[in-house]
mmCIF file of all heavy atoms in Angstrom:
data_model
loop_
_atom_site.group_PDB
_atom_site.id
_atom_site.type_symbol
_atom_site.label_atom_id
_atom_site.label_comp_id
_atom_site.label_asym_id
_atom_site.label_seq_id
_atom_site.Cartn_x
_atom_site.Cartn_y
_atom_site.Cartn_z
ATOM 1 N N ARG T 1 114.255 56.190 -59.932
ATOM 2 C CA ARG T 1 115.500 55.682 -60.494
ATOM 3 C C ARG T 1 115.726 54.238 -60.051
ATOM 4 O O ARG T 1 115.512 53.895 -58.876
ATOM 5 C CB ARG T 1 116.678 56.550 -60.051
ATOM 6 C CG ARG T 1 117.996 56.172 -60.711
ATOM 7 C CD ARG T 1 119.150 56.945 -60.129
ATOM 8 N NE ARG T 1 120.391 56.612 -60.816
ATOM 9 C CZ ARG T 1 121.590 56.922 -60.369
ATOM 10 N NH1 ARG T 1 121.723 57.562 -59.213
ATOM 11 N NH2 ARG T 1 122.665 56.600 -61.047
ATOM 12 N N SER T 2 116.160 53.409 -60.981
ATOM 13 C CA SER T 2 116.446 52.003 -60.682
ATOM 14 C C SER T 2 117.930 51.819 -60.416
ATOM 15 O O SER T 2 118.777 52.517 -60.984
ATOM 16 C CB SER T 2 116.021 51.110 -61.859
ATOM 17 O OG SER T 2 114.643 51.250 -62.132
ATOM 18 N N GLU T 3 118.222 50.874 -59.562
ATOM 19 C CA GLU T 3 119.613 50.534 -59.303
ATOM 20 C C GLU T 3 120.181 49.752 -60.484
ATOM 21 O O GLU T 3 119.469 48.999 -61.154
ATOM 22 C CB GLU T 3 119.712 49.696 -58.029
ATOM 23 C CG GLU T 3 119.277 50.428 -56.771
ATOM 24 C CD GLU T 3 120.197 51.583 -56.420
ATOM 25 O OE1 GLU T 3 121.394 51.533 -56.808
ATOM 26 O OE2 GLU T 3 119.731 52.534 -55.771
ATOM 27 N N VAL T 4 121.459 49.944 -60.735
ATOM 28 C CA VAL T 4 122.109 49.225 -61.827
ATOM 29 C C VAL T 4 122.146 47.744 -61.480
ATOM 30 O O VAL T 4 122.678 47.358 -60.434
ATOM 31 C CB VAL T 4 123.543 49.743 -62.055
ATOM 32 C CG1 VAL T 4 124.216 48.963 -63.180
ATOM 33 C CG2 VAL T 4 123.520 51.226 -62.370
ATOM 34 N N PRO T 5 121.554 46.888 -62.320
ATOM 35 C CA PRO T 5 121.483 45.462 -61.977
ATOM 36 C C PRO T 5 122.828 44.760 -62.163
ATOM 37 O O PRO T 5 123.695 45.218 -62.916
ATOM 38 C CB PRO T 5 120.441 44.922 -62.960
ATOM 39 C CG PRO T 5 120.563 45.821 -64.147
ATOM 40 C CD PRO T 5 120.892 47.184 -63.599
ATOM 41 N N ILE T 6 122.980 43.629 -61.480
ATOM 42 C CA ILE T 6 124.162 42.791 -61.645
ATOM 43 C C ILE T 6 123.878 41.796 -62.765
ATOM 44 O O ILE T 6 122.927 41.016 -62.690
ATOM 45 C CB ILE T 6 124.488 42.047 -60.344
ATOM 46 C CG1 ILE T 6 124.759 43.045 -59.212
ATOM 47 C CG2 ILE T 6 125.681 41.109 -60.539
ATOM 48 C CD1 ILE T 6 124.979 42.390 -57.861
ATOM 49 N N THR T 7 124.665 41.859 -63.821
ATOM 50 C CA THR T 7 124.439 40.989 -64.975
ATOM 51 C C THR T 7 125.071 39.627 -64.748
ATOM 52 O O THR T 7 126.174 39.507 -64.214
ATOM 53 C CB THR T 7 125.033 41.617 -66.245
ATOM 54 O OG1 THR T 7 126.434 41.851 -66.048
ATOM 55 C CG2 THR T 7 124.345 42.942 -66.550
ATOM 56 N N ARG T 8 124.353 38.602 -65.174
ATOM 57 C CA ARG T 8 124.848 37.232 -65.080
ATOM 58 C C ARG T 8 124.596 36.524 -66.399
ATOM 59 O O ARG T 8 123.624 36.820 -67.095
ATOM 60 C CB ARG T 8 124.156 36.485 -63.952
ATOM 61 C CG ARG T 8 124.386 37.090 -62.564
ATOM 62 C CD ARG T 8 123.579 36.363 -61.517
ATOM 63 N NE ARG T 8 123.785 36.942 -60.187
ATOM 64 C CZ ARG T 8 123.112 36.579 -59.115
ATOM 65 N NH1 ARG T 8 122.190 35.641 -59.203
ATOM 66 N NH2 ARG T 8 123.354 37.160 -57.947
ATOM 67 N N GLU T 9 125.481 35.610 -66.734
ATOM 68 C CA GLU T 9 125.332 34.871 -67.968
ATOM 69 C C GLU T 9 124.142 33.921 -67.852
ATOM 70 O O GLU T 9 123.955 33.245 -66.843
ATOM 71 C CB GLU T 9 126.596 34.069 -68.280
ATOM 72 C CG GLU T 9 127.805 34.942 -68.598
ATOM 73 C CD GLU T 9 128.992 34.108 -69.013
ATOM 74 O OE1 GLU T 9 128.870 32.861 -69.022
ATOM 75 O OE2 GLU T 9 130.042 34.700 -69.325
ATOM 76 N N THR T 10 123.352 33.900 -68.912
ATOM 77 C CA THR T 10 122.198 33.005 -68.956
ATOM 78 C C THR T 10 122.212 32.225 -70.256
ATOM 79 O O THR T 10 122.792 32.658 -71.262
ATOM 80 C CB THR T 10 120.880 33.790 -68.864
ATOM 81 O OG1 THR T 10 120.836 34.756 -69.928
ATOM 82 C CG2 THR T 10 120.780 34.520 -67.534
ATOM 83 N N ILE T 11 121.581 31.078 -70.235
ATOM 84 C CA ILE T 11 121.478 30.268 -71.451
ATOM 85 C C ILE T 11 120.325 30.792 -72.290
ATOM 86 O O ILE T 11 119.199 30.887 -71.796
ATOM 87 C CB ILE T 11 121.244 28.787 -71.091
ATOM 88 C CG1 ILE T 11 122.399 28.280 -70.218
ATOM 89 C CG2 ILE T 11 121.084 27.932 -72.344
ATOM 90 C CD1 ILE T 11 122.208 26.865 -69.732
ATOM 91 N N PRO T 12 120.587 31.172 -73.554
ATOM 92 C CA PRO T 12 119.492 31.722 -74.372
ATOM 93 C C PRO T 12 118.400 30.691 -74.609
ATOM 94 O O PRO T 12 118.672 29.491 -74.741
ATOM 95 C CB PRO T 12 120.197 32.110 -75.681
ATOM 96 C CG PRO T 12 121.471 31.363 -75.691
ATOM 97 C CD PRO T 12 121.858 31.132 -74.265
ATOM 98 N N TYR T 13 117.180 31.184 -74.644
ATOM 99 C CA TYR T 13 116.026 30.306 -74.856
ATOM 100 C C TYR T 13 116.014 29.806 -76.293
ATOM 101 O O TYR T 13 116.123 30.585 -77.253
ATOM 102 C CB TYR T 13 114.737 31.075 -74.574
ATOM 103 C CG TYR T 13 113.483 30.287 -74.863
ATOM 104 C CD1 TYR T 13 113.094 29.247 -74.026
ATOM 105 C CD2 TYR T 13 112.696 30.578 -75.966
ATOM 106 C CE1 TYR T 13 111.949 28.527 -74.271
ATOM 107 C CE2 TYR T 13 111.546 29.859 -76.229
ATOM 108 C CZ TYR T 13 111.169 28.828 -75.367
ATOM 109 O OH TYR T 13 110.028 28.128 -75.627
ATOM 110 N N SER T 14 115.916 28.503 -76.469
ATOM 111 C CA SER T 14 115.933 27.904 -77.804
ATOM 112 C C SER T 14 114.692 27.058 -78.061
ATOM 113 O O SER T 14 114.696 26.196 -78.934
ATOM 114 C CB SER T 14 117.192 27.042 -77.984
ATOM 115 O OG SER T 14 117.235 26.018 -76.995
ATOM 116 N N GLY T 15 113.649 27.307 -77.294
ATOM 117 C CA GLY T 15 112.428 26.533 -77.464
ATOM 118 C C GLY T 15 111.614 27.004 -78.642
ATOM 119 O O GLY T 15 112.013 27.892 -79.412
ATOM 120 N N PRO T 16 110.460 26.411 -78.854
ATOM 121 C CA PRO T 16 109.611 26.798 -79.988
ATOM 122 C C PRO T 16 109.088 28.210 -79.838
ATOM 123 O O PRO T 16 108.872 28.704 -78.729
ATOM 124 C CB PRO T 16 108.461 25.775 -79.935
ATOM 125 C CG PRO T 16 108.415 25.333 -78.504
ATOM 126 C CD PRO T 16 109.836 25.362 -78.032
ATOM 127 N N ARG T 17 108.900 28.879 -80.962
ATOM 128 C CA ARG T 17 108.382 30.247 -80.957
ATOM 129 C C ARG T 17 106.892 30.234 -80.658
ATOM 130 O O ARG T 17 106.148 29.428 -81.209
ATOM 131 C CB ARG T 17 108.631 30.894 -82.318
ATOM 132 C CG ARG T 17 108.140 32.327 -82.400
ATOM 133 C CD ARG T 17 108.408 32.894 -83.768
ATOM 134 N NE ARG T 17 107.853 34.245 -83.887
ATOM 135 C CZ ARG T 17 107.879 34.957 -85.015
ATOM 136 N NH1 ARG T 17 108.430 34.453 -86.091
ATOM 137 N NH2 ARG T 17 107.364 36.157 -85.052
ATOM 138 N N VAL T 18 106.465 31.116 -79.764
ATOM 139 C CA VAL T 18 105.052 31.216 -79.390
ATOM 140 C C VAL T 18 104.464 32.466 -80.012
ATOM 141 O O VAL T 18 104.946 33.575 -79.779
ATOM 142 C CB VAL T 18 104.883 31.266 -77.853
ATOM 143 C CG1 VAL T 18 103.411 31.358 -77.490
ATOM 144 C CG2 VAL T 18 105.506 30.024 -77.225
ATOM 145 N N GLU T 19 103.444 32.319 -80.842
ATOM 146 C CA GLU T 19 102.809 33.466 -81.481
ATOM 147 C C GLU T 19 101.983 34.251 -80.473
ATOM 148 O O GLU T 19 101.473 33.699 -79.506
ATOM 149 C CB GLU T 19 101.894 32.996 -82.625
ATOM 150 C CG GLU T 19 102.632 32.336 -83.777
ATOM 151 C CD GLU T 19 103.476 33.310 -84.562
ATOM 152 O OE1 GLU T 19 103.186 34.535 -84.466
ATOM 153 O OE2 GLU T 19 104.407 32.888 -85.248
ATOM 154 N N ARG T 20 101.836 35.516 -80.715
ATOM 155 C CA ARG T 20 101.050 36.357 -79.822
ATOM 156 C C ARG T 20 99.571 36.018 -79.944
ATOM 157 O O ARG T 20 99.059 35.751 -81.030
ATOM 158 C CB ARG T 20 101.252 37.835 -80.171
ATOM 159 C CG ARG T 20 102.671 38.336 -79.914
ATOM 160 C CD ARG T 20 102.754 39.808 -80.238
ATOM 161 N NE ARG T 20 104.074 40.360 -79.963
ATOM 162 C CZ ARG T 20 104.423 41.619 -80.184
ATOM 163 N NH1 ARG T 20 103.548 42.462 -80.670
ATOM 164 N NH2 ARG T 20 105.644 42.036 -79.925
ATOM 165 N N ASN T 21 98.868 36.034 -78.817
ATOM 166 C CA ASN T 21 97.435 35.769 -78.836
ATOM 167 C C ASN T 21 96.706 36.773 -79.708
ATOM 168 O O ASN T 21 95.769 36.427 -80.431
ATOM 169 C CB ASN T 21 96.880 35.803 -77.406
ATOM 170 C CG ASN T 21 97.352 34.611 -76.590
ATOM 171 O OD1 ASN T 21 97.609 33.554 -77.134
ATOM 172 N ND2 ASN T 21 97.473 34.798 -75.293
ATOM 173 N N GLU T 22 97.139 38.061 -79.641
ATOM 174 C CA GLU T 22 96.437 39.084 -80.405
ATOM 175 C C GLU T 22 96.590 38.849 -81.906
ATOM 176 O O GLU T 22 95.667 39.094 -82.674
ATOM 177 C CB GLU T 22 96.978 40.470 -80.033
ATOM 178 C CG GLU T 22 96.201 41.603 -80.697
ATOM 179 C CD GLU T 22 96.706 42.963 -80.277
ATOM 180 O OE1 GLU T 22 97.602 43.027 -79.419
ATOM 181 O OE2 GLU T 22 96.212 43.962 -80.828
ATOM 182 N N ARG T 23 97.757 38.371 -82.341
ATOM 183 C CA ARG T 23 97.959 38.105 -83.763
ATOM 184 C C ARG T 23 97.036 36.995 -84.250
ATOM 185 O O ARG T 23 96.469 37.070 -85.336
ATOM 186 C CB ARG T 23 99.421 37.724 -84.011
ATOM 187 C CG ARG T 23 99.762 37.532 -85.483
ATOM 188 C CD ARG T 23 101.218 37.178 -85.661
ATOM 189 N NE ARG T 23 102.070 38.237 -85.156
ATOM 190 C CZ ARG T 23 103.387 38.161 -85.132
ATOM 191 N NH1 ARG T 23 104.000 37.068 -85.550
ATOM 192 N NH2 ARG T 23 104.102 39.168 -84.657
ATOM 193 N N ILE T 24 96.855 35.979 -83.422
ATOM 194 C CA ILE T 24 95.947 34.893 -83.784
ATOM 195 C C ILE T 24 94.512 35.404 -83.850
ATOM 196 O O ILE T 24 93.746 35.055 -84.750
ATOM 197 C CB ILE T 24 96.072 33.742 -82.770
ATOM 198 C CG1 ILE T 24 97.494 33.157 -82.810
ATOM 199 C CG2 ILE T 24 95.043 32.655 -83.049
ATOM 200 C CD1 ILE T 24 97.742 32.103 -81.764
ATOM 201 N N GLN T 25 94.148 36.258 -82.890
ATOM 202 C CA GLN T 25 92.791 36.808 -82.885
ATOM 203 C C GLN T 25 92.542 37.660 -84.133
ATOM 204 O O GLN T 25 91.453 37.626 -84.703
ATOM 205 C CB GLN T 25 92.584 37.644 -81.625
ATOM 206 C CG GLN T 25 92.550 36.825 -80.350
ATOM 207 C CD GLN T 25 92.471 37.677 -79.109
ATOM 208 O OE1 GLN T 25 92.420 38.902 -79.190
ATOM 209 N NE2 GLN T 25 92.470 37.049 -77.942
ATOM 210 N N ARG T 26 93.549 38.418 -84.555
ATOM 211 C CA ARG T 26 93.395 39.243 -85.771
ATOM 212 C C ARG T 26 93.166 38.361 -86.991
ATOM 213 O O ARG T 26 92.386 38.696 -87.882
ATOM 214 C CB ARG T 26 94.633 40.110 -85.972
ATOM 215 C CG ARG T 26 94.769 41.250 -84.988
ATOM 216 C CD ARG T 26 96.171 41.803 -84.974
ATOM 217 N NE ARG T 26 96.602 42.201 -86.303
ATOM 218 C CZ ARG T 26 97.880 42.299 -86.673
ATOM 219 N NH1 ARG T 26 98.837 42.003 -85.799
ATOM 220 N NH2 ARG T 26 98.190 42.679 -87.889
ATOM 221 N N LEU T 27 93.848 37.223 -87.041
ATOM 222 C CA LEU T 27 93.690 36.314 -88.166
ATOM 223 C C LEU T 27 92.321 35.652 -88.157
ATOM 224 O O LEU T 27 91.648 35.546 -89.188
ATOM 225 C CB LEU T 27 94.801 35.261 -88.134
ATOM 226 C CG LEU T 27 94.782 34.205 -89.240
ATOM 227 C CD1 LEU T 27 94.953 34.863 -90.598
ATOM 228 C CD2 LEU T 27 95.884 33.172 -89.012
ATOM 229 N N LEU T 28 91.865 35.213 -86.961
ATOM 230 C CA LEU T 28 90.578 34.531 -86.855
ATOM 231 C C LEU T 28 89.397 35.486 -86.978
ATOM 232 O O LEU T 28 88.277 35.060 -87.234
ATOM 233 C CB LEU T 28 90.497 33.776 -85.523
ATOM 234 C CG LEU T 28 91.515 32.642 -85.318
ATOM 235 C CD1 LEU T 28 91.340 32.018 -83.949
ATOM 236 C CD2 LEU T 28 91.366 31.588 -86.408
ATOM 237 N N HIS T 29 89.644 36.785 -86.787
ATOM 238 C CA HIS T 29 88.562 37.773 -86.870
ATOM 239 C C HIS T 29 88.008 37.871 -88.283
ATOM 240 O O HIS T 29 86.841 38.237 -88.477
ATOM 241 C CB HIS T 29 89.076 39.133 -86.410
ATOM 242 C CG HIS T 29 87.998 40.156 -86.254
ATOM 243 N ND1 HIS T 29 86.864 39.946 -85.482
ATOM 244 C CD2 HIS T 29 87.865 41.411 -86.761
ATOM 245 C CE1 HIS T 29 86.082 41.015 -85.539
ATOM 246 N NE2 HIS T 29 86.672 41.909 -86.310
ATOM 247 N N GLU T 30 88.835 37.550 -89.287
ATOM 248 C CA GLU T 30 88.430 37.540 -90.690
ATOM 249 C C GLU T 30 87.809 38.866 -91.119
ATOM 250 O O GLU T 30 86.678 38.929 -91.604
ATOM 251 C CB GLU T 30 87.467 36.374 -90.962
ATOM 252 C CG GLU T 30 88.119 35.008 -90.835
ATOM 253 C CD GLU T 30 87.278 33.886 -91.398
ATOM 254 O OE1 GLU T 30 86.041 34.077 -91.515
ATOM 255 O OE2 GLU T 30 87.842 32.836 -91.739
ATOM 256 N N GLU T 31 88.558 39.934 -90.911
ATOM 257 C CA GLU T 31 88.159 41.259 -91.375
ATOM 258 C C GLU T 31 89.393 41.977 -91.910
ATOM 259 O O GLU T 31 90.418 42.056 -91.225
ATOM 260 C CB GLU T 31 87.535 42.082 -90.251
ATOM 261 C CG GLU T 31 87.118 43.481 -90.695
ATOM 262 C CD GLU T 31 86.470 44.278 -89.582
ATOM 263 O OE1 GLU T 31 86.084 43.651 -88.567
ATOM 264 O OE2 GLU T 31 86.365 45.508 -89.715
ATOM 265 N N CYS T 32 89.307 42.460 -93.110
ATOM 266 C CA CYS T 32 90.441 43.151 -93.744
ATOM 267 C C CYS T 32 90.795 44.395 -92.929
ATOM 268 O O CYS T 32 89.941 45.253 -92.692
ATOM 269 C CB CYS T 32 90.105 43.529 -95.182
ATOM 270 S SG CYS T 32 91.432 44.432 -96.028
ATOM 271 N N GLU T 33 92.047 44.500 -92.519
ATOM 272 C CA GLU T 33 92.489 45.636 -91.717
ATOM 273 C C GLU T 33 92.694 46.893 -92.560
ATOM 274 O O GLU T 33 92.961 47.950 -92.007
ATOM 275 C CB GLU T 33 93.792 45.285 -90.990
ATOM 276 C CG GLU T 33 93.625 44.177 -89.991
ATOM 277 C CD GLU T 33 94.889 43.864 -89.212
ATOM 278 O OE1 GLU T 33 95.986 44.129 -89.734
ATOM 279 O OE2 GLU T 33 94.783 43.370 -88.080
ATOM 280 N N LEU T 34 92.549 46.757 -93.879
ATOM 281 C CA LEU T 34 92.740 47.913 -94.753
ATOM 282 C C LEU T 34 91.417 48.496 -95.228
ATOM 283 O O LEU T 34 91.191 49.692 -95.115
ATOM 284 C CB LEU T 34 93.610 47.516 -95.949
ATOM 285 C CG LEU T 34 94.256 48.661 -96.726
ATOM 286 C CD1 LEU T 34 95.129 49.508 -95.809
ATOM 287 C CD2 LEU T 34 95.081 48.116 -97.883
ATOM 288 N N CYS T 35 90.531 47.641 -95.759
ATOM 289 C CA CYS T 35 89.256 48.154 -96.294
ATOM 290 C C CYS T 35 88.062 47.765 -95.427
ATOM 291 O O CYS T 35 86.959 48.251 -95.647
ATOM 292 C CB CYS T 35 89.036 47.665 -97.726
ATOM 293 S SG CYS T 35 88.711 45.884 -97.854
ATOM 294 N N GLY T 36 88.247 46.862 -94.441
ATOM 295 C CA GLY T 36 87.149 46.479 -93.560
ATOM 296 C C GLY T 36 86.255 45.392 -94.095
ATOM 297 O O GLY T 36 85.252 45.061 -93.466
ATOM 298 N N ARG T 37 86.583 44.805 -95.249
ATOM 299 C CA ARG T 37 85.739 43.764 -95.848
ATOM 300 C C ARG T 37 85.785 42.500 -95.002
ATOM 301 O O ARG T 37 86.842 42.083 -94.535
ATOM 302 C CB ARG T 37 86.210 43.458 -97.267
ATOM 303 C CG ARG T 37 85.319 42.428 -97.995
ATOM 304 C CD ARG T 37 85.885 42.064 -99.359
ATOM 305 N NE ARG T 37 85.699 43.170 -100.293
ATOM 306 C CZ ARG T 37 86.708 43.899 -100.758
ATOM 307 N NH1 ARG T 37 87.947 43.662 -100.352
ATOM 308 N NH2 ARG T 37 86.496 44.883 -101.625
ATOM 309 N N LYS T 38 84.619 41.873 -94.776
ATOM 310 C CA LYS T 38 84.526 40.630 -94.014
ATOM 311 C C LYS T 38 84.861 39.452 -94.923
ATOM 312 O O LYS T 38 84.540 39.458 -96.112
ATOM 313 C CB LYS T 38 83.120 40.462 -93.428
ATOM 314 C CG LYS T 38 82.716 41.547 -92.434
ATOM 315 C CD LYS T 38 83.441 41.368 -91.123
ATOM 316 C CE LYS T 38 82.908 42.339 -90.072
ATOM 317 N NZ LYS T 38 83.585 42.172 -88.772
ATOM 318 N N GLY T 39 85.481 38.420 -94.344
ATOM 319 C CA GLY T 39 85.793 37.230 -95.102
ATOM 320 C C GLY T 39 87.205 36.759 -94.828
ATOM 321 O O GLY T 39 87.907 37.307 -93.971
ATOM 322 N N PRO T 40 87.661 35.719 -95.536
ATOM 323 C CA PRO T 40 89.021 35.199 -95.334
ATOM 324 C C PRO T 40 90.070 36.286 -95.575
ATOM 325 O O PRO T 40 89.909 37.134 -96.453
ATOM 326 C CB PRO T 40 89.125 34.080 -96.378
ATOM 327 C CG PRO T 40 87.709 33.695 -96.675
ATOM 328 C CD PRO T 40 86.897 34.946 -96.539
ATOM 329 N N VAL T 41 91.122 36.243 -94.770
ATOM 330 C CA VAL T 41 92.180 37.248 -94.897
ATOM 331 C C VAL T 41 93.517 36.559 -95.139
ATOM 332 O O VAL T 41 93.696 35.374 -94.865
ATOM 333 C CB VAL T 41 92.271 38.125 -93.622
ATOM 334 C CG1 VAL T 41 91.040 38.981 -93.476
ATOM 335 C CG2 VAL T 41 92.486 37.266 -92.380
ATOM 336 N N GLU T 42 94.456 37.335 -95.695
ATOM 337 C CA GLU T 42 95.804 36.859 -95.976
ATOM 338 C C GLU T 42 96.800 37.775 -95.275
ATOM 339 O O GLU T 42 96.553 38.972 -95.121
ATOM 340 C CB GLU T 42 96.061 36.853 -97.486
ATOM 341 C CG GLU T 42 95.040 36.049 -98.268
ATOM 342 C CD GLU T 42 95.196 36.236 -99.775
ATOM 343 O OE1 GLU T 42 96.104 36.990 -100.191
ATOM 344 O OE2 GLU T 42 94.418 35.626 -100.525
ATOM 345 N N GLY T 43 97.921 37.223 -94.864
ATOM 346 C CA GLY T 43 98.943 38.015 -94.183
ATOM 347 C C GLY T 43 99.908 38.655 -95.166
ATOM 348 O O GLY T 43 100.461 37.982 -96.037
ATOM 349 N N HIS T 44 100.083 39.969 -95.046
ATOM 350 C CA HIS T 44 101.083 40.691 -95.852
ATOM 351 C C HIS T 44 102.240 41.049 -94.927
ATOM 352 O O HIS T 44 102.059 41.744 -93.939
ATOM 353 C CB HIS T 44 100.471 41.961 -96.461
ATOM 354 C CG HIS T 44 101.443 42.707 -97.338
ATOM 355 N ND1 HIS T 44 101.702 42.313 -98.633
ATOM 356 C CD2 HIS T 44 102.207 43.805 -97.112
ATOM 357 C CE1 HIS T 44 102.586 43.146 -99.161
ATOM 358 N NE2 HIS T 44 102.912 44.065 -98.260
ATOM 359 N N HIS T 45 103.441 40.564 -95.253
ATOM 360 C CA HIS T 45 104.586 40.712 -94.367
ATOM 361 C C HIS T 45 105.669 41.569 -95.025
ATOM 362 O O HIS T 45 105.797 41.603 -96.247
ATOM 363 C CB HIS T 45 105.191 39.349 -94.006
ATOM 364 C CG HIS T 45 104.197 38.357 -93.505
ATOM 365 N ND1 HIS T 45 103.875 38.244 -92.171
ATOM 366 C CD2 HIS T 45 103.439 37.438 -94.150
ATOM 367 C CE1 HIS T 45 102.971 37.292 -92.017
ATOM 368 N NE2 HIS T 45 102.689 36.789 -93.200
ATOM 369 N N ILE T 46 106.429 42.259 -94.183
ATOM 370 C CA ILE T 46 107.646 42.926 -94.630
ATOM 371 C C ILE T 46 108.806 42.435 -93.764
ATOM 372 O O ILE T 46 108.596 41.936 -92.660
ATOM 373 C CB ILE T 46 107.523 44.464 -94.539
ATOM 374 C CG1 ILE T 46 107.242 44.909 -93.100
ATOM 375 C CG2 ILE T 46 106.477 44.987 -95.493
ATOM 376 C CD1 ILE T 46 107.255 46.411 -92.917
#
């Protein structure tokens, strides 16, 4: 069990967004995550 922490006001981070390393690796891997075909890939977002 953890002790209940003391909350303090903080300034929200407003710097540039940093992409995940794994997401970049998935893009550079150039393999379709659906059918497995090798080659250039495109991002499908929801």
Side-chain angles (χ1 to χ4, degrees):
R1 186 187 183 194
S2 301
E3 296 294 334
V4 179
I6 300 175
T7 58
R8 298 175 180 174
E9 293 185 359
T10 57
I11 301 176
Y13 176 73
S14 59
R17 181 180 176 184
V18 180
E19 295 291 339
R20 294 182 178 179
N21 290 331
E22 185 178 356
R23 185 179 299 177
I24 297 175
Q25 291 175 1
R26 288 163 55 203
L27 179 62
L28 297 178
H29 189 53
E30 293 193 339
E31 179 179 345
C32 178
E33 296 183 334
L34 198 58
C35 69
R37 183 185 287 111
K38 298 287 187 179
V41 293
E42 305 171 0
H44 182 80
H45 309 271
I46 59 174

